[in-house]
């Protein structure tokens, strides 16, 4: 396991109480006990792991020595450090993506700049649940298993696309448990091991994880999938994936001519193109939401993915795929084996909320724009040498550090009580190491405090990178 991958799997190891070496040995012990570090697995050298974790080498040595004394690891001169025991069949790998691992950590006072979504269920969500109760109580002759989604929600999503200028029937809608579930289903349906997938660099890390889960190989292109035609000739991809509207993480929106060109190129080369629209309905006041990419291509070329997690609340696990009826039927067959169908009350609530979104969006748009302005102002005040270009929608800023490595800084930030997402994990091409993704959906107090913690972390991190000035030699 590479040092940075192990660092990511350790999660928020350093945010507890006690000496760093004790916290590190405890986190490594947990990974060994859970089988994430199986018997015989090599561990990184002291110096390499220390660099990845942004700690002194002595911290790693002390942690390793604790585990060696417990007979959990073996350390031999010339052979390195390994987990103790006889190697067997390694378990299937699980995700090392920090955006997911942070969700599994306890709420320990760490401010979450790594995961972006509304901070609480809005009043209209609670009201919608009260409105659907009579319908739910009157349900008869329905066991509640709908692999493709409840007909009421499929109809509502289809009507929403039609209102946006893309005529759609209910048989073109597959309801999922959120946008991530939609991406995972599409990856399973369309990819086989070794397939190439064209992705933007950087991009949404959950998509990269979904493709890698199917043993596909992401091939990185600039945002907007620039150079698409040449990449198709070079890689013969089975799939392409883009976030053309309020891009995750950069916040940019692909211009109309480029949107049309991308959709037409995908159709000409017969490459299925996923249009991730999860953030597309998050404009700031006065900004227009472009039509879906599917409106620029023959039916079946573009697969649209949507969700209510960023519009309403992440706990409302409702998303969807718009595709051909044949693709929807295939997705439903794949989904039926795993969970038969989604939560019906949540789907009825989603059907209530969708038609009202145009009325509720302006207030939320003003809140997001205010958060965006507030975050940039705080960064300019406390971290003026960080570059944080403005965006016109979405929920994140793509921040360039003036020096250093985002992943190493993220480790330092954790020790100061704030979780950020380093850019390298969002870039399948191996770049973006000098970037961080920050979101502006925290409330005012948390956002302000988060930037203050980041400033303290940056000064601590930056000080360790600066050479110590030589002391003058005194004449005798």
């Amino acid at each position: 396991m590479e040092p940075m991958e192990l660092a990511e799997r350790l999660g928020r190891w350093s945010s507890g109480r006690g000496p760093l070496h004790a916290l590190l040995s405890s986190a490594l012990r947990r990974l060994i006990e859970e089988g994430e570090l199986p018997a015989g697995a090599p561990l990184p050298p002291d110096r390499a792991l220390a660099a990845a974790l942004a700690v002194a080498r002595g911290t790693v040595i002390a942690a390793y020595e604790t585990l060696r004394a417990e007979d959990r690891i073996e350390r031999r001169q010339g052979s390195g450090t390994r987990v103790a025991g006889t190697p067997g069949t390694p378990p299937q790998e699980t995700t090392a993506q920090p955006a997911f691992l942070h969700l599994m950590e306890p709420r320990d006072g760490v401010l979450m700049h790594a995961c972006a979504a509304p901070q609480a269920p809005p009043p209209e969500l609670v009201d919608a649940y009260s409105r659907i109760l009579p319908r739910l109580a009157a349900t008869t002759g329905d066991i509640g298993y709908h692999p493709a989604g409840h007909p009421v929600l499929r109809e509502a999503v289809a009507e929403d696309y039609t209102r946006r200028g893309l005529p759609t029937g209910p048989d073109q809608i597959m309801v999922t448990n959120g946008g991530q579930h939609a991406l995972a289903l599409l990856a399973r349906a369309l990819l086989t091991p070794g397939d190439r997938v064209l992705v933007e660099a950087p991009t949404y890390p959950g998509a990269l994880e979904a493709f890698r889960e199917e043993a596909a190989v992401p091939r990185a292109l600039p945002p907007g999938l620039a150079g698409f035609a040449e990449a198709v000739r070079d890689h013969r991809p089975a799939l392409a994936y883009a976030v053309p509207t309020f891009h995750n993480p950069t916040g940019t929106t692909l211009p109309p001519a480029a949107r049309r060109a991308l959709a037409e190129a995908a159709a000409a080369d017969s490459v299925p193109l996923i249009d991730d629209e999860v953030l597309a309905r998050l404009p700031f006041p006065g900004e227009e939401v472009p039509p879906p990419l599917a409106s620029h291509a023959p039916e079946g070329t573009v697969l649209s993915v949507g969700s209510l997690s960023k519009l309403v609340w992440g706990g409302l696990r409702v998303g969807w795929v718009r595709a051909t009826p044949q693709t929807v039927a295939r997705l439903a067959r794949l989904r039926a084996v795993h969970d038969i169908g989604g939560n019906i009350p949540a789907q009825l609530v989603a059907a209530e909320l969708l038609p009202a979104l145009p009325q509720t969006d302006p207030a939320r748009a003003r809140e997001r724009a205010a958060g965006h302005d507030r975050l940039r102002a705080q960064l300019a005040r406390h971290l003026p040498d960080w570059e944080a270009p403005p965006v016109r929608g979405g929920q994140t800023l793509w921040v360039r550090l003036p020096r250093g490595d985002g992943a190493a800084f993220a480790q330092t930030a954790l020790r100061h009580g704030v979780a950020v997402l380093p850019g390298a994990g969002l870039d399948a091409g191996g770049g973006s190491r000098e970037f961080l993704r920050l979101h502006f959906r925290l409330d005012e107090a948390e956002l302000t405090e988060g930037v203050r913690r980041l400033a303290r972390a940056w000064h601590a991190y930056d000080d360790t990178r600066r050479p110590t000035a030589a002391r003058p030699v005194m004449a005798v």
Side-chain angles (χ1 to χ4, degrees), residues 325-338:
Q326 295 78 14
T327 299
V328 167
R330 176 167 171 73
L331 294 173
R333 288 194 294 272
L334 289 171
R335 192 259 183 93
V337 176
H338 290 273

Side-chain angles (χ1 to χ4, degrees), residues 253-287:
T253 294
L254 202 60
R259 299 170 76 88
R260 181 180 295 277
L262 175 59
E264 291 175 349
D269 290 314
S270 300
V271 177
L273 171 62
I274 297 177
D275 175 12
D276 188 335
E277 289 199 297
V278 170
L279 302 178
R281 300 283 281 271
L282 301 181
F284 292 166
E287 296 294 330

Side-chain angles (χ1 to χ4, degrees), residues 82-359:
R82 294 180 176 272
V83 178
T86 303
T89 302
Q92 183 176 355
E93 285 193 7
T94 58
T95 182
Q97 174 50 241
F100 294 138
L101 295 182
H102 280 301
L103 299 176
M104 294 181 265
E105 297 279 2
R107 296 294 182 256
D108 52 8
V110 173
L111 294 179
M112 292 296 294
H113 262 291
C115 305
Q119 297 291 295
E124 55 264 32
L125 175 60
V126 179
D127 293 342
Y129 267 100
S130 67
R131 292 197 302 272
I132 64 101
L133 291 178
R135 179 196 290 269
L136 197 62
T139 299
T140 59
D142 182 353
I143 62 175
Y145 296 154
H146 297 278
H150 194 285
V152 170
L153 180 54
R154 297 177 76 190
E155 179 71 39
V157 175
E159 290 176 354
D160 186 68
Y161 274 111
T162 300
R163 282 194 297 270
R164 295 176 62 201
L166 184 60
T168 303
D171 60 347
Q172 293 177 264
I173 301 300
M174 167 79 192
V175 177
T176 62
N177 291 331
Q180 184 64 34
H181 184 213
L183 291 174
L185 274 176
L186 286 169
R188 188 159 184 234
L190 300 174
L191 296 173
T192 58
D195 279 347
R196 270 58 172 172
V197 182
L198 299 183
V199 299
E200 298 166 294
T203 192
Y204 168 54
L208 297 178
E209 291 295 285
F211 303 146
R212 288 167 178 154
E213 186 75 10
E214 301 304 321
V217 181
R219 294 300 186 192
L221 296 177
L225 295 180
F228 182 90
E230 295 83 357
V232 169
R233 289 195 296 270
D234 292 342
H235 302 299
R236 299 186 179 276
L239 185 65
Y241 169 80
V243 189
T245 309
F246 308 129
H247 177 260
N248 184 358
T250 66
T252 58
T253 294
L254 202 60
R259 299 170 76 88
R260 181 180 295 277
L262 175 59
E264 291 175 349
D269 290 314
S270 300
V271 177
L273 171 62
I274 297 177
D275 175 12
D276 188 335
E277 289 199 297
V278 170
L279 302 178
R281 300 283 281 271
L282 301 181
F284 292 166
E287 296 294 330
E288 294 292 328
V289 176
L293 285 185
S295 62
H296 300 302
E299 195 63 66
T301 299
V302 177
L303 307 144
S304 303
V305 169
S307 168
L308 291 179
S309 63
K310 311 304 182 186
L311 286 166
V312 181
W313 186 46
L316 183 64
R317 302 308 303 148
V318 174
W320 54 83
V321 176
R322 182 196 180 277
T324 63
Q326 295 78 14
T327 299
V328 167
R330 176 167 171 73
L331 294 173
R333 288 194 294 272
L334 289 171
R335 192 259 183 93
V337 176
H338 290 273
D339 65 357
I340 302 180
N343 181 289
I344 295 304
Q347 292 183 54
L348 295 177
V349 163
E352 286 278 325
L353 292 172
L354 264 176
L357 284 178
Q359 287 72 51

